[in-house]
Amino acid sequence: MNVKAALSPEDVARACAEAMWAEDDASKGLGMEIVEIGPGYATLGMTVRPDMVNGQRIAHGGFIFTLADSAFAFACNSHNERVVAAQGQITFIKPGRLGDRLVAKACEVTRGGRSGIYDVRVTAGDTVIAEFRGHSRVIPGTWLPTQNR
């Protein structure tokens, strides 16, 4: 039986996220949490810790990028295909601050063949911190078995 036929798209997205999260030491190590997951979208949160601020005493851009990239990864892996980033670009709009709860909301823009485009907005409360666009590429494999044996 095909997994997609047996599970709703929402169930597939959640199961893929659980499988991926189990192996994602980077996101877990930075204190990220999955807030919401569904087909083609994901929301992750992370609090800016003292070891995440730079010499300006604002959130280091690399950590903001990593949060956005992780949300992108969970969104594009939500269809039971193994997917990696082909490209990612971020625009920093406002600084994140020590103690801020940053939230990255990733949304599928388009997906076809082996490629996809996803937009991610990173916020601290109502303030937009950054905008990220990621291009994805499907690689061999799935997160969930595709047939019962």
Side-chain angles (χ1 to χ4, degrees), residues 70-140:
S70 289
F72 160 56
F74 279 92
C76 64
N77 278 277
S78 65
H79 301 288
N80 199 28
E81 296 177 308
R82 295 242 178 192
V83 183
V84 295
Q87 173 180 308
Q89 178 181 346
I90 195 163
T91 301
F92 299 108
I93 299 167
K94 300 254 181 174
R97 308 264 181 217
L98 178 62
D100 279 353
R101 172 79 172 160
L102 302 183
V103 175
K105 292 184 178 187
C107 183
E108 192 172 270
V109 175
T110 186
R111 178 175 154 259
R114 294 182 55 210
S115 300
I117 299 174
Y118 294 77
D119 284 339
V120 184
R121 175 168 283 173
V122 181
T123 58
D126 293 332
T127 302
V128 177
I129 300 297
E131 296 281 354
F132 172 101
R133 174 160 275 192
H135 295 246
S136 66
R137 188 74 169 168
V138 175
I139 61 172

